[in-house]
Amino acid sequence: MSERSNIRDVAERAGVAVKTVSRLLNGHPYVRAETREKIERAMKELDFRPSVAARILSGAKSNQVALIYDNHSPYYMFQIQTGCWDACKAQGIRLIAQPIDIDDPDVGEQVRGLVMETHVDGIILSSPVTDCAPVLKMLDALDTPFVRISPGTNHALTSSVFMDDAQAADDMTSLLINKGHRRIGFIKGHPNHMASDERLFGYRRALDRAGIAFEPGLVRDGEFDVESGIRAGGELLDLPNPPTAIFASNDDMAAGVLAVAHERDIDVPHDLSVVGFDDTPLARTVYPPLTTIHQPMAELARTATEILVSGGDINHQRLPHQLIERASVAPPKGYE
Amino acid sequence: MSERSNIRDVAERAGVAVKTVSRLLNGHPYVRAETREKIERAMKELDFRPSVAARILSGAKSNQVALIYDNHSPYYMFQIQTGCWDACKAQGIRLIAQPIDIDDPDVGEQVRGLVMETHVDGIILSSPVTDCAPVLKMLDALDTPFVRISPGTNHALTSSVFMDDAQAADDMTSLLINKGHRRIGFIKGHPNHMASDERLFGYRRALDRAGIAFEPGLVRDGEFDVESGIRAGGELLDLPNPPTAIFASNDDMAAGVLAVAHERDIDVPHDLSVVGFDDTPLARTVYPPLTTIHQPMAELARTATEILVSGGDINHQRLPHQLIERASVAPPKGYE
DNA sequence: CGTTTTTATGTCAAGCGCTGTCATATGCCT
DNA sequence: AGGCATATGACAGCGCTTGACATAAAAACG
């Protein structure tokens, strides 16, 4: 194994002072092109890699950021991680992805541990950690910069990136209304997620605007998983006067509704329209493919990371969503 | 923000020597229970967290391990990460999850960067990085311990955990044969994954044992994604004498086959049996739910991490798979 | 009971690899 | 000659571990 070489070896080999190498490493001005080349050659020859630990210890930035999450949707997390990683890679930053349990009474301490032990420069919070008070409080106390992806609550002092969940739900509901639906079932998302409320809000707003009375019986609780979709879908279809369309707050639950429909031999979309939210791969996998809202998860994560790393001013950025029409929607039966 | 306290502060407050605190921190023997308590109290009061950076720098283990992967299946990665994290959490170890691109000519260097910059104590390789020569070579050169999850090739000098893909595929094929199927289509997995070959091997072995001639035309290439399942499934069903059952090398491709079947109004399972592999959530989400092989991904990852951290002898551990029967299989039409 | 061991703690100095502060040395401009 | 931008160096120190010793109390031994 090649011996680990340090900055002193590089300096020696290049015939310069250690400090000069350090300057180059940190992109300081005042390094002649000629010197730079000498040093770079030496670094290459020695396979030199600066130790993050040493840099941290001597007071520099760690060039590490952490992504904290507590989300049990594999696809969502995959997209979020991917977005963060892309941004980090482009900036030469190391990403530490850290799952936590927001219901653990000890979350705050865990976050403190993460920050103090790893010396991360900043933190990206993904939903629903974005609204976990102990974490927010700790981060404030620690004076660690952070940015939030799709937060549900305001926190004026930090940046965030998000999409307009209410508007998206409104768009989707309006689509259904335009197709002729009047009885539209709605399955709520997990209560931990603020987006759940937003989506419900958008659904109601679209209904209001169209002059359709809101009917509480058409709204069911869900938890963002297939099982709750099956349960809620079953309940809605059991209604004496069942809805002609069901809007599930995410694709997984919509898939659950589809499964129920299949079992009961209800033809989707002709006997029942079903729509989801998120545009996960599932939406294109199930039959029929789901009309859904494309949530730009990876872009949100990428943008959040860029904001964090750039360290600029507080920034609240809205990214656009997209309504994806597939084959799970049709006009209700008997509609002209 | 509370000032960061260091080991000296703790020692002072506890009325002991710095060395004693260090002994406790590093689990050395010869620390009285009473002393331990005093120190622990002081640490708590001061919110002390040892700086990983400082420990690394002074030659101790970093208590960090990295998980390296290049797998584009969200669910698989989610399970793997979860397994690793559980094990790490239990051991008080920090996990750095690092995606790489095994086709990048620079992978080796990237891995060197990771190891040298972060000083990780060891590495967990998940498929298909397990068989990426430049990575393996670099890790050997760096003298960094690593363990492989589901490797395809041998590397006698390192530990690994895996399941018996061939046997699982054999089991599944045998199930189909027992139900009366004789013409069984097979969709291969991504060529990057050694498991793909194993599964094909198991399929052929079961066929052989049952005295059914292997028919190359019934085997199609796939890439572990829904699209290739749709394509391959379509091809198989286009055959003049189509199979009565299709065995896809993973659930995603099986879902693709299901979609094709739906589109062509082929009733699954009565007109066509479809089975998958992996037991992803998708398997229970699609209609009908898939008969599949449960691959213990999280357990594999957990075990791998434990082996790595324990630092014991080289260890090759096989974990059991499980055949999950759901509703996507029936005897072929016209079978007594 | 005195002696050897074992256990438990302390002192001190060194050093891991890097960067910050301050100092120094050019050359150039006016 | 003085002032300034440019380019480089010397040195201390970040927070921790470690090794070499020193010492003291408790336990074990004969």
Side-chain angles (χ1 to χ4, degrees):
Chain A
M1 158 187 192
S2 52
E3 284 312 307
R4 170 178 255 285
S5 52
N6 60 29
I7 197 172
R8 233 171 298 127
D9 301 331
V10 174
E12 200 175 325
R13 182 166 198 124
V16 300
V18 167
K19 180 72 222 205
T20 307
V21 179
S22 171
R23 286 210 176 83
L24 177 57
L25 243 31
N26 292 281
H28 281 261
Y30 302 162
V31 180
R32 253 191 314 169
E34 195 188 328
T35 314
R36 175 194 318 275
E37 274 174 32
K38 270 196 306 192
I39 298 176
E40 276 169 353
R41 197 167 338 113
M43 294 203 300
K44 189 131 276 171
E45 286 166 5
L46 292 172
D47 266 333
F48 170 75
R49 304 283 180 154
S51 155
V52 173
R55 306 180 86 168
I56 292 173
L57 202 52
S58 60
K61 289 197 309 173
S62 68
N63 286 313
Q64 296 186 136
V65 299
L67 163 66
I68 304 187
Y69 64 92
D70 178 18
N71 192 302
H72 302 291
S73 157
Y75 182 70
Y76 183 74
M77 281 325 304
F78 190 82
Q79 291 293 108
I80 295 288
Q81 288 189 356
T82 302
C84 290
W85 259 302
D86 285 354
C88 282
K89 196 173 177 192
Q91 314 256 350
I93 297 244
R94 187 83 46 200
L95 178 74
I96 298 179
Q98 184 74 42
I100 62 169
D101 174 3
I102 58 170
D103 293 322
D104 185 331
D106 219 36
V107 252
E109 282 311 306
Q110 280 172 234
V111 170
R112 158 180 269 131
L114 173 69
V115 172
M116 298 192 71
E117 284 168 22
T118 66
H119 304 254
V120 285
D121 297 329
I123 291 206
I124 301 150
L125 256 29
S126 94
S127 177
V129 187
T130 42
D131 303 289
C132 174
V135 172
L136 263 23
K137 224 175 106 189
M138 179 59 71
L139 256 19
D140 281 340
L142 254 21
D143 212 19
T144 303
F146 61 97
V147 3
R148 304 188 301 157
I149 300 175
S150 305
T153 53
N154 272 333
H155 186 92
L157 299 172
T158 53
S159 300
S160 63
V161 297
F162 50 89
M163 59 166 279
D164 194 336
D165 277 277
Q167 186 56 50
D170 186 330
D171 291 352
M172 181 60 90
T173 310
S174 300
L175 171 80
L176 259 13
I177 294 172
N178 288 339
K179 294 273 185 191
H181 293 279
R182 287 293 172 274
R183 295 186 60 71
I184 303 173
F186 185 86
I187 307 180
K188 290 201 277 187
H190 193 107
N192 267 174
H193 291 254
M194 307 299 280
S196 302
D197 294 335
E198 290 292 306
R199 293 176 194 177
L200 176 60
F201 178 80
Y203 160 79
R204 295 193 59 165
R205 191 172 66 194
L207 249 37
D208 275 1
R209 206 176 39 245
I212 301 175
F214 172 68
E215 212 173 299
L218 288 178
V219 175
R220 300 283 151 164
D221 289 331
E223 281 164 10
F224 279 155
D225 56 5
V226 179
E227 281 70 27
S228 58
I230 292 178
R231 188 177 21 74
E235 287 170 16
L236 288 170
L237 295 173
D238 280 340
L239 252 30
N241 183 8
T244 60
I246 295 181
F247 180 3
S249 290
N250 80 344
D251 292 340
D252 282 38
M253 297 193 298
V257 176
L258 246 32
V260 175
H262 270 127
E263 251 171 342
R264 302 187 180 198
D265 261 320
I266 297 174
D267 182 58
V268 176
H270 304 299
D271 296 337
L272 175 72
S273 291
V274 177
V275 300
F277 202 111
D278 284 347
D279 195 25
T280 58
L282 188 58
R284 291 189 299 152
T285 304
V286 292
Y287 190 85
L290 287 169
T291 288
T292 188
I293 297 287
H294 177 75
Q295 184 171 8
M297 307 179 196
E299 282 73 33
L300 285 167
R302 187 174 307 120
T303 308
T305 310
E306 282 162 1
I307 291 176
L308 180 66
V309 173
S310 78
D313 289 336
I314 291 172
N315 190 335
H316 296 280
Q317 208 157 322
R318 160 177 310 161
L319 264 44
H321 62 268
Q322 217 181 327
L323 202 164
I324 311 280
E325 294 199 55
R326 299 216 177 84
S328 64
V329 172
K333 209 139 202 180
Y335 188 73
E336 64 245 35
Chain B
M1 157 188 195
S2 52
E3 285 310 309
R4 170 178 258 285
S5 51
N6 61 29
I7 196 173
R8 237 169 298 128
D9 303 330
V10 173
E12 200 175 325
R13 181 163 200 128
V16 300
V18 168
K19 178 84 214 215
T20 306
V21 179
S22 174
R23 284 204 179 93
L24 175 59
L25 244 30
N26 292 282
H28 281 261
Y30 301 161
V31 180
R32 251 192 318 171
E34 194 187 327
T35 314
R36 175 194 317 276
E37 273 174 32
K38 269 197 306 191
I39 298 176
E40 275 168 356
R41 196 168 340 114
M43 295 203 297
K44 189 131 277 172
E45 285 166 7
L46 292 172
D47 268 333
F48 169 75
R49 304 282 180 156
S51 155
V52 173
R55 308 182 82 170
I56 292 173
L57 205 51
S58 59
K61 289 197 308 171
S62 68
N63 285 314
Q64 296 186 135
V65 299
L67 163 66
I68 304 186
Y69 64 91
D70 178 19
N71 192 302
H72 303 291
S73 158
Y75 182 69
Y76 183 75
M77 281 326 303
F78 190 82
Q79 292 292 108
I80 295 287
Q81 287 189 357
T82 301
C84 289
W85 260 303
D86 285 354
C88 282
K89 195 171 176 193
Q91 314 256 348
I93 296 243
R94 188 79 50 197
L95 179 73
I96 299 179
Q98 183 74 43
I100 62 169
D101 175 3
I102 58 170
D103 293 323
D104 185 331
D106 220 37
V107 253
E109 281 310 307
Q110 279 173 235
V111 170
R112 158 181 269 130
L114 173 68
V115 172
M116 297 192 71
E117 284 168 23
T118 66
H119 304 254
V120 286
D121 297 330
I123 291 204
I124 301 150
L125 256 28
S126 93
S127 178
V129 187
T130 41
D131 303 289
C132 174
V135 172
L136 264 22
K137 225 175 106 189
M138 179 58 72
L139 256 19
D140 281 340
L142 253 23
D143 213 18
T144 303
F146 62 97
V147 3
R148 304 188 300 157
I149 299 174
S150 305
T153 54
N154 272 334
H155 186 91
L157 299 172
T158 53
S159 299
S160 63
V161 297
F162 51 89
M163 60 166 277
D164 194 336
D165 277 277
Q167 185 57 49
D170 185 329
D171 291 352
M172 182 60 90
T173 310
S174 300
L175 171 79
L176 260 13
I177 293 171
N178 288 339
K179 294 272 184 191
H181 293 278
R182 287 293 171 274
R183 295 186 60 71
I184 303 173
F186 185 86
I187 307 180
K188 291 201 278 186
H190 193 107
N192 268 172
H193 290 254
M194 307 299 281
S196 303
D197 294 335
E198 291 292 307
R199 293 175 193 177
L200 176 61
F201 178 81
Y203 161 78
R204 295 193 59 167
R205 191 171 67 196
L207 250 37
D208 275 2
R209 204 175 41 245
I212 301 175
F214 173 68
E215 211 173 299
L218 287 179
V219 175
R220 300 285 151 164
D221 289 332
E223 280 163 10
F224 278 154
D225 56 5
V226 178
E227 281 70 27
S228 59
I230 292 178
R231 187 177 22 72
E235 287 170 16
L236 288 170
L237 295 173
D238 281 340
L239 252 29
N241 183 8
T244 60
I246 296 181
F247 179 4
S249 291
N250 79 345
D251 292 340
D252 283 37
M253 297 193 298
V257 175
L258 246 33
V260 175
H262 271 127
E263 250 172 343
R264 302 186 180 198
D265 261 320
I266 296 174
D267 181 59
V268 176
H270 304 300
D271 296 336
L272 176 72
S273 291
V274 177
V275 300
F277 202 111
D278 284 348
D279 195 26
T280 58
L282 189 58
R284 290 188 301 152
T285 304
V286 292
Y287 190 86
L290 288 169
T291 289
T292 188
I293 297 287
H294 177 75
Q295 183 172 8
M297 306 179 196
E299 281 74 33
L300 285 167
R302 187 173 307 120
T303 308
T305 309
E306 281 162 2
I307 291 175
L308 180 66
V309 173
S310 78
D313 289 337
I314 291 172
N315 191 334
H316 295 280
Q317 207 156 323
R318 162 181 317 182
L319 264 43
H321 61 268
Q322 216 181 328
L323 201 163
I324 311 280
E325 293 200 56
R326 299 216 176 85
S328 65
V329 173
K333 209 135 201 183
Y335 186 75
E336 64 246 36

